[in-house]
């Protein structure tokens, strides 16, 4: 189960939000889009893993200061910056709620806070060309979707089984779906005209309400898409 990276998350004020342009006071960053969410919190506030995953980087960066990277089950990369102390070590397997470090004010920072973000594909190198808004998801919205068992893709697109022939992408409204399927959407692995069920059921992927409410089956759907995307 996903969770927010800070206990009592709602008690901390939000600084810059996902996609918000940096104000002029940020100098060379002014006008660029903020790639994550900033939560203003005292130095030493415990930072916890929002999802299960593997620690793939623990180090110090010029902008992010003491930074930890967590790769989750779906190959997404979570980044946690400006820490005062790093506790999880590289290569460590962590569960949702596991302690990553303590918040701080390191790197380029105007006040003690946690910056965290969600890069869509951990296999893509982090460079000036890839660190753009299009390659990130709103981490706060992603977690909220899991906590409420309601998933929306980029604020408007969801996937539901429209009938027994295909899985379809549809616009608007919220349905009960695990965010596992959203990952496949964000990677472009589900085509807009849907996935023929006969392909999926041949490998034991259920359809309809079974898939809609069983998170484990959603994992299987994503894995099936990964291995059969050449057939779509």
């Amino acid at each position: 189960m996903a969770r927010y990276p800070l206990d009592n998350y709602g008690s901390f004020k939000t600084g810059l939000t996902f996609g918000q342009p940096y104000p002029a006071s940020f100098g060379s960053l002014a006008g660029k889009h903020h790639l994550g969410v900033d939560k203003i919190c005292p130095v030493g506030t415990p930072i916890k893993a929002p999802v299960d995953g593997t620690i793939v980087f623990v180090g110090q960066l010029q902008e992010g200061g003491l930074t930890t990277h967590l790769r989750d089950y779906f190959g997404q990369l979570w980044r946690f910056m400006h820490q005062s102390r790093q506790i999880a070590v590289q290569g460590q397997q962590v569960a949702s709620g596991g302690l990553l470090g303590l918040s701080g004010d390191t790197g380029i920072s105007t006040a003690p806070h946690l910056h965290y973000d969600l890069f869509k594909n951990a296999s893509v190198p982090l460079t000036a060309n890839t660190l753009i808004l299009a390659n990130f998801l709103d981490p706060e919205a992603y977690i909220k979707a899991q906590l409420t068992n309601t998933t929306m893709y980029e604020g408007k697109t969801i996937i539901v089984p429209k009938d027994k022939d295909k899985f379809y992408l549809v616009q608007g409204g919220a349905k009960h779906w695990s965010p596992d399927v959203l990952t496949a959407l964000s990677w472009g692995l589900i085509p807009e005209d849907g996935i023929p069920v006969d392909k999926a059921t041949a490998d034991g992927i259920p359809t309809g309400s079974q898939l809609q409410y069983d998170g484990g089956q959603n994992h299987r759907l994503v894995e099936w898409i990964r291995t059969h995307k050449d057939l779509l």
Side-chain angles (χ1 to χ4, degrees):
M1 173 64 71
R3 51 152 294 149
Y4 291 111
L6 303 174
D7 291 337
N8 302 312
Y9 185 83
S11 67
F12 298 105
K13 293 183 178 180
T14 300
L16 293 175
T17 58
F18 177 72
Q20 179 180 349
Y22 283 95
S25 59
F26 279 78
S28 61
L29 292 175
K32 295 182 179 179
H33 292 104
H34 189 242
L35 301 177
V37 173
D38 288 346
K39 295 299 286 187
I40 301 169
C41 53
V43 172
T45 303
I47 303 168
K48 299 183 178 181
V51 295
D52 299 347
T54 303
I55 304 299
V56 294
F57 174 81
V58 177
Q60 185 161 7
L61 304 175
Q62 182 177 358
E63 291 187 7
L66 296 180
T67 299
T68 298
H69 292 175
L70 169 69
R71 184 182 65 229
D72 67 18
Y73 174 84
F74 306 109
Q76 300 171 131
L77 188 72
W78 297 78
R79 306 191 302 167
F80 308 87
M81 302 180 182
H82 310 299
Q83 297 174 64
S84 60
R85 179 185 172 194
Q86 294 158 305
I87 295 175
V89 298
Q90 189 163 335
Q92 180 179 338
Q93 302 286 323
V94 296
S96 175
L99 186 60
L100 302 179
L102 304 178
S103 66
D105 195 23
T106 57
I108 299 178
S109 173
T110 58
H113 74 287
L114 167 67
H115 168 101
Y116 74 107
D117 56 41
L118 178 54
F119 191 65
K120 290 181 181 180
N121 192 342
S123 65
V124 174
L126 299 174
T127 68
N129 291 328
T130 62
L131 290 172
I132 57 175
L133 192 63
N135 290 334
F136 286 79
L137 298 174
D138 183 336
E140 192 172 71
Y142 184 91
I143 294 170
K144 182 178 180 180
Q146 296 209 31
L147 292 175
T148 59
N149 198 31
T150 300
T151 48
M152 302 190 72
Y153 179 58
E154 294 185 351
K156 61 181 180 181
T157 305
I158 58 175
I159 180 171
V160 296
K162 186 176 180 180
D163 52 37
K164 294 183 178 181
D165 295 323
K166 291 187 177 184
F167 299 106
Y168 285 86
L169 298 181
V170 297
Q171 300 293 322
K175 294 289 183 181
H176 295 291
W177 265 84
S178 165
D180 309 8
V181 177
L182 292 189
T183 300
L185 286 176
S186 69
W187 286 356
L189 300 185
I190 300 178
E192 291 188 2
D193 60 351
I195 301 172
V197 166
D198 57 357
K199 293 181 183 178
T201 54
D203 290 295
I205 303 299
T207 61
S209 60
Q210 283 182 281
L211 185 62
Q212 184 171 347
Y213 293 109
D214 188 332
Q217 300 294 356
N218 283 335
H219 285 290
R220 294 180 62 199
L221 173 61
V222 173
E223 290 302 320
W224 183 88
I225 293 168
R226 287 176 177 170
T227 56
H228 294 76
K229 61 183 178 180
D230 59 315
L231 301 177
L232 300 178

